[in-house]
Amino acid sequence: MSATQPAAKLLSLVLGGFIAGAAIQLQQPVLFDAWVYAVVAACVLGLACLMAFPAAPKAWLSAASVVVLAGASGFALTGLRAAVFQAGSLAPALEGQDIEVVGRVLAMPQRSEDALRFRFAVESARLNGQAVVLPAQLDLGWYSGFGNRSQASSRSEAEPPDATGAPAAALALQRQPQDLRAGERWRMTVRLKAPHGNSNPHGFDYELWLWEQGLQATGYVRAGPRDPVPQHLAVGWRHPVERARQSVRDAVFARVADRQLAGVVAALLVGDQNAIGRADWDVFRATGVAHLMSISGLHITMFAWLAALGMAWLWRRSVRLSPALCLALPAASAGAWGGLLLASGYALFSGWGVPAQRTVWMLAAVVLLRQSGKRWPWPQVWLLAMAVVVALDPWALLQAGFWLSFVAVGVLFATDSGAVDARPVRGIGQNEHEFPRLAAVLPLWLGAAAASVIRAAREQWVVTLALTPLSLLLFNQVSLVGLLANGLAIPWVTLLVTPLTMLGVLWAPFWDLAAAAVAALMVFLQWLAAWPLASISVAAAPLWCALAGIAGGLLLAMRLPWHWRVLGVPLMLPVLLWQPLRPATGQFELIAADVGQGNALIVRTAGHTLVYDAGPRFSRESDAGHRVLVPLLRALGESVDMLMLSHRDSDHIGGAPAVLAMQPQAALLSSIEDGHELQALRPATRCAAGQRWQWDGVDFEVLHPAAGDYDAPNKSNAMSCVLRISNGRHSALLTGDIELAQEQRLVAAGANLKADVLLAPHHGSKTSSSAAFLDAVQPTLALVQAGYRNRFGHPALPVVARYRERGIALVTSSQCGAATWTSRQPSEIGCQRQTALRYWHHRPAAVP
């Protein structure tokens, strides 16, 4: 049954309106009360019932009324779900408290070299012997030793432990994480906080990710020498799928000796993306195949297609045993339902991640539509699948994977790629008596195979053209070798590696073959990644540029005369050539990135860029350079002239290797010692008082340390490079981790310390920001770069009081996110956490 034109138009309006309504609701900075959304939903339902009556006025069925009604339903249903979920958030009074919890390990734990992360379903919780209410699920970390836990002090994902006051030797005996298994019941003491992530322009929204995962609190297990011992209560029978996943993952690592290859095999088999190292992810992103190395929509869709073919083949063969089966249910229908069922099982075994869920819902919508006998035009099928996904997971609209998947499918539909006849050649393998005729049919089979290859190549070319502008919008980067890499990697991974990983569950030696296939692919990908300009980066462009670029890519890919296709070229130019506005000559700008507990600032003039400090190292596989600074510099289109590292502490240089790798032209100015490991990456010039230079009418001057300080033993904080930036009218002072003695020395030396904006020394520590120093600087604004609920208590309350006594506005990164200050508007500061505020974002309490 095909949809009539009026019905198809009405359906498109309903589906499109619903999606638009959900998208509008996602822009709310603050949620309404739940009853408001419930009333709107009830009104929409009532009006829809009235419109369904035959006697309803035709004006009620106008396009505008249908769109408004559908949009209101999407808005109300999404808002109601959000309000109900938000009602279960963690009470602020419970943050930072030692709470005894009893519950179950929900999913397969993720182990790294320094921690174990797992999801925990709370059954009961007690604080000081009194029952308390916690969110239903927690995201917990169990750190392996105090040293590693302190390294995590600025992690956005989990709050690090507080110092217990015990000697360092005792703290080193921190109880190691146990071998937790999914489904086990445990009693443990935890310390929690509200979901809080770094907030930066063009950065990853960690709080949205937690919201979409159904997590409303993060924290860590208290397992120090003075803490109660975590107790394993029972094995438990729940979560058998997660227990099986964990067992299979462990078996893969036990079988495959090379942990690099084992990580990829485990990721493809059970969806454990954390098993893949960062260096491998860099190669996959540079070659444009990162989407293949996790259980993505492509894997599940391909698996569903193969499973449907296999089920249909088996169903046809079953006619000999029971002819009634094929009469009751045609083979094509049996294959479709069987493929959907097996694909759902595959998604469940791979962890039932949000992208996998979206794919299953999309496939279910298409299968139900086709099996109902309806033949809708492709735009309605496309919109229906999108609306089903949005109804079940409206926050998917903010995920890059959602748009990449649906735009790719839509482009293939729009360019009529399916017009090529892809029917299997009759006579090959359909009857065992026909195999003697194989030689006669072989030329025809080869022709069909060649046509299939050509069709696949064309589809990959079409998708690449259309998705390039979208990828630039979403990631500010695109792989120029992606077409070639995917041409081999897609069939290699989906038709060879992934089936071998699955067969390994039945017979472990297949995992050796899968690892060998991954190793061969890695050689090819590493070769491509080493090409000059294997990938290009562009500055973040506005939405209209990306839309124009997608339209241009679509024009180039469509089957149109070439004089129409070439019009796509100018449409793609804005997204490729876009450059953000820079300060005017004689002006400068500061961007204090939100990196948690650490310093990282970007200083921009009309034609130059300086990065002051590079933030902390979060773990062995993660640092502020990779997570924050590299994406931010890429989005700004920056070419860094100088990286200035104030001193050697890890919360200031942790991200330096990533920045130096991204910016090979950047000079390095620092107080790090000659034998420091960074010297091997880029020889550093010592910073010393008296160094001066000018960029675009803006003066830069180093005030500390003195050249002679390098000849005497000093604490690393005492050697912090202090930089003053001025255009003659307004100035900024960047101080690193100097303490009282260095502040007194600067004041006594009579240096010009006056500044409009001050980077608070040592993150607002009680050992810095002395009264005399603040009186000499006389700032109107002070920036404190410190982690939310950091274990050091920065900024210290006495320091906060000193700033307030002098009328100095104190801006903390935990409340502001990334802070932007310009010399053109010295009394104002922009806060990313306020300008990009949405209802799922955390609102930390003001500094007391």
Side-chain angles (χ1 to χ4, degrees):
M1 180 188 301
S2 61
T4 62
Q5 186 173 357
K9 178 181 177 182
L10 179 63
L11 181 65
S12 298
L13 292 174
V14 170
L15 297 175
F18 180 87
I19 295 169
I24 292 172
Q25 194 281 329
L26 298 182
Q27 307 308 310
Q28 283 192 278
V30 180
L31 286 172
F32 301 142
D33 291 334
W35 67 266
V36 175
Y37 298 108
V39 168
V40 173
C43 292
V44 168
L45 180 61
L47 289 174
C49 292
L50 290 176
M51 293 172 64
F53 280 110
K58 291 185 177 180
W60 289 11
L61 292 175
S62 66
S65 62
V66 170
V67 170
V68 169
L69 201 62
S73 67
F75 180 90
L77 293 177
T78 303
L80 183 60
R81 284 182 59 186
V84 171
F85 179 71
Q86 194 177 69
S89 58
L90 179 70
L94 298 179
E95 287 191 282
Q97 302 288 336
D98 287 346
I99 303 173
E100 180 189 88
V101 295
V102 175
R104 305 184 316 276
V105 179
L106 269 180
M108 177 177 67
Q110 305 290 329
R111 183 178 290 276
S112 62
E113 293 183 9
D114 51 12
L116 184 76
R117 299 207 61 81
F118 59 99
R119 295 189 184 181
F120 194 74
V122 178
E123 296 176 356
S124 64
R126 304 185 73 84
L127 173 62
N128 299 325
Q130 301 295 318
V132 293
V133 178
L134 296 181
Q137 295 184 26
L138 309 175
D139 183 39
L140 297 177
W142 191 337
Y143 295 97
S144 56
F146 181 77
N148 287 332
R149 288 168 66 183
S150 64
Q151 281 182 5
S153 63
S154 50
R155 284 176 62 97
S156 63
E157 294 84 354
E159 182 185 359
D162 292 355
T164 63
L171 291 172
L173 298 177
Q174 182 80 13
R175 295 188 186 97
Q176 297 299 303
Q178 301 297 308
D179 185 22
L180 301 183
R181 313 292 295 182
E184 292 180 340
R185 293 185 72 246
W186 281 78
R187 176 185 288 114
M188 56 184 65
T189 300
V190 299
R191 186 168 290 185
L192 303 176
K193 69 172 183 177
H196 185 93
N198 299 330
S199 179
N200 293 285
H202 315 289
F204 175 65
D205 193 340
Y206 176 65
E207 293 166 33
L208 171 62
W209 182 84
L210 286 174
W211 177 283
E212 195 175 14
Q213 300 293 319
L215 297 167
Q216 293 178 293
T218 65
Y220 61 91
V221 177
R222 297 283 292 178
R226 299 181 181 180
D227 298 312
V229 179
Q231 297 179 10
H232 179 211
L233 302 179
V235 174
W237 55 269
R238 301 185 182 184
H239 312 293
V241 174
E242 288 297 324
R243 292 178 65 84
R245 292 180 65 226
Q246 188 170 357
S247 298
V248 169
R249 182 191 63 181
D250 294 346
V252 169
F253 278 97
R255 176 73 193 186
V256 180
D258 189 320
R259 294 191 63 83
Q260 177 191 23
L261 301 177
V264 177
V265 172
L268 292 173
L269 183 58
V270 298
D272 186 8
Q273 296 185 43
N274 292 328
I276 300 178
R278 188 175 68 187
D280 291 336
W281 278 121
D282 291 341
V283 172
F284 298 150
R285 293 189 183 102
T287 53
V289 301
H291 63 101
L292 291 172
M293 300 305 162
S294 58
I295 307 298
S296 63
L298 175 63
H299 290 89
I300 295 173
T301 303
M302 182 66 73
F303 182 84
W305 174 67
L306 292 173
L309 290 179
M311 286 293 296
W313 183 86
L314 290 173
W315 202 261
R316 291 188 187 96
R317 296 307 181 270
S318 69
V319 69
R320 297 176 181 176
L321 300 176
S322 178
L325 283 178
C326 282
L327 294 177
L329 186 64
S333 297
W337 290 113
L340 176 61
L341 182 63
L342 291 174
S344 301
Y346 178 40
L348 186 65
F349 189 75
S350 68
W352 198 239
V354 173
Q357 294 178 38
R358 290 198 295 258
T359 304
V360 170
W361 303 138
M362 180 182 68
L363 290 173
V366 173
V367 169
L368 283 170
L369 178 64
R370 292 298 174 87
Q371 295 307 307
S372 68
K374 292 181 172 57
R375 293 294 181 266
W376 290 1
W378 74 260
Q380 279 71 48
V381 177
W382 186 71
L383 279 173
L384 175 65
M386 184 181 291
V388 168
V389 171
V390 171
L392 294 166
D393 178 20
W395 300 278
L397 286 167
L398 301 175
Q399 302 296 341
F402 174 89
W403 292 107
L404 290 171
S405 298
F406 276 101
V407 170
V409 173
V411 166
L412 290 176
F413 274 133
T415 55
D416 196 26
S417 293
V420 179
D421 187 3
R423 290 176 294 178
V425 178
R426 180 171 176 79
I428 301 298
Q430 295 186 5
N431 188 320
E432 63 271 21
H433 300 297
E434 294 180 355
F435 280 105
R437 295 173 17 192
L438 179 59
V441 187
L442 186 59
L444 184 60
W445 182 84
L446 290 175
S452 298
V453 171
I454 293 172
R455 180 190 178 199
R458 180 183 181 276
E459 289 181 351
Q460 184 64 39
W461 167 248
V462 167
V463 169
T464 300
L465 274 179
L467 292 189
T468 294
L470 184 60
S471 299
L472 291 174
L473 173 70
L474 296 172
F475 309 116
N476 309 120
Q477 186 180 28
V478 69
S479 173
L480 296 183
V481 298
L483 183 63
L484 180 58
N486 279 282
L488 174 66
I490 288 177
W492 190 267
V493 172
T494 56
L495 300 179
L496 178 61
V497 179
T498 302
L500 286 173
T501 63
M502 294 179 178
L503 290 172
V505 177
L506 303 177
W507 192 46
F510 278 116
W511 286 331
D512 296 326
L513 296 177
V518 170
L521 179 63
M522 287 299 298
V523 171
F524 175 65
L525 295 178
Q526 289 169 351
W527 174 65
L528 289 179
W531 285 15
L533 295 177
S535 63
I536 59 169
S537 301
V538 298
L543 180 60
W544 68 265
C545 289
L547 294 177
I550 293 171
L554 188 59
L555 272 176
L556 284 171
M558 291 183 72
R559 295 177 174 177
L560 295 173
W562 275 106
H563 66 274
W564 288 108
R565 290 193 187 188
V566 294
L567 295 178
V569 175
L571 288 174
M572 297 182 72
L573 291 179
V575 74
L576 295 172
L577 303 179
W578 178 266
Q579 289 296 322
L581 292 176
R582 298 189 66 89
T585 300
Q587 303 291 342
F588 66 101
E589 174 187 69
L590 293 182
I591 301 175
D594 183 6
V595 294
Q597 185 69 23
N599 282 156
L601 297 95
I602 299 173
V603 184
R604 305 169 73 222
T605 66
H608 293 80
T609 301
L610 177 144
V611 175
Y612 182 88
D613 282 342
R617 182 183 182 187
F618 303 128
S619 68
R620 289 181 176 89
E621 287 289 322
S622 177
D623 57 64
H626 278 96
R627 283 197 186 178
V628 178
L629 289 178
V630 167
L632 181 55
L633 290 169
R634 182 183 296 129
L636 295 173
E638 295 296 338
S639 176
V640 175
D641 297 278
M642 180 182 293
L643 173 61
M644 187 174 190
L645 301 177
S646 61
H647 61 299
R648 69 186 180 195
D649 284 3
S650 63
D651 58 333
H652 295 255
I653 67 171
V659 175
L660 291 173
M662 179 202 182
Q663 304 284 344
Q665 76 290 336
L668 180 58
L669 185 66
S670 179
S671 64
I672 59 175
E673 62 273 19
D674 293 339
H676 195 279
E677 60 185 10
L678 284 176
Q679 297 278 8
L681 300 178
R682 190 78 45 86
T685 300
R686 286 180 172 178
C687 62
Q691 292 173 332
R692 293 182 178 87
W693 67 93
Q694 187 179 87
W695 287 341
D696 310 310
V698 178
D699 295 316
F700 294 75
E701 181 182 5
V702 177
L703 303 180
H704 181 81
D709 292 337
Y710 290 94
D711 300 326
N714 282 296
K715 293 196 310 182
S716 61
N717 286 352
M719 296 298 293
S720 293
C721 306
V722 177
L723 179 67
R724 185 173 185 269
I725 309 164
S726 176
N727 64 357
R729 298 175 299 279
H730 302 290
S731 56
L733 187 64
L734 310 183
T735 58
D737 278 356
I738 61 170
E739 297 180 342
L740 177 61
Q742 292 75 51
E743 292 178 354
Q744 292 175 338
R745 178 173 160 183
L746 286 169
V747 173
N752 182 6
L753 300 176
K754 287 199 64 175
D756 298 270
V757 61
L758 168 69
L759 176 64
H762 201 181
H763 318 287
S765 166
K766 61 184 179 181
T767 62
S768 305
S769 297
S770 61
F773 182 74
L774 295 182
D775 291 338
V777 179
Q778 300 179 16
T780 56
L781 294 168
L783 302 174
V784 178
Q785 290 189 299
Y788 176 65
R789 299 192 61 84
N790 66 86
R791 71 187 183 92
F792 306 104
H794 296 158
L797 294 181
V799 170
V800 173
R802 281 200 289 273
Y803 280 98
R804 287 181 174 167
E805 288 169 1
R806 290 160 177 78
I808 303 169
L810 202 62
V811 179
T812 61
S813 56
S814 60
Q815 291 178 296
C816 178
T820 303
W821 178 90
T822 65
S823 59
R824 291 189 61 183
Q825 298 175 305
S827 61
E828 299 179 8
I829 195 159
C831 288
Q832 177 67 17
R833 192 168 281 277
Q834 274 72 56
T835 57
L837 183 64
R838 296 295 183 268
Y839 57 80
W840 55 82
H841 286 148
H842 182 221
R843 295 168 176 79
V847 176

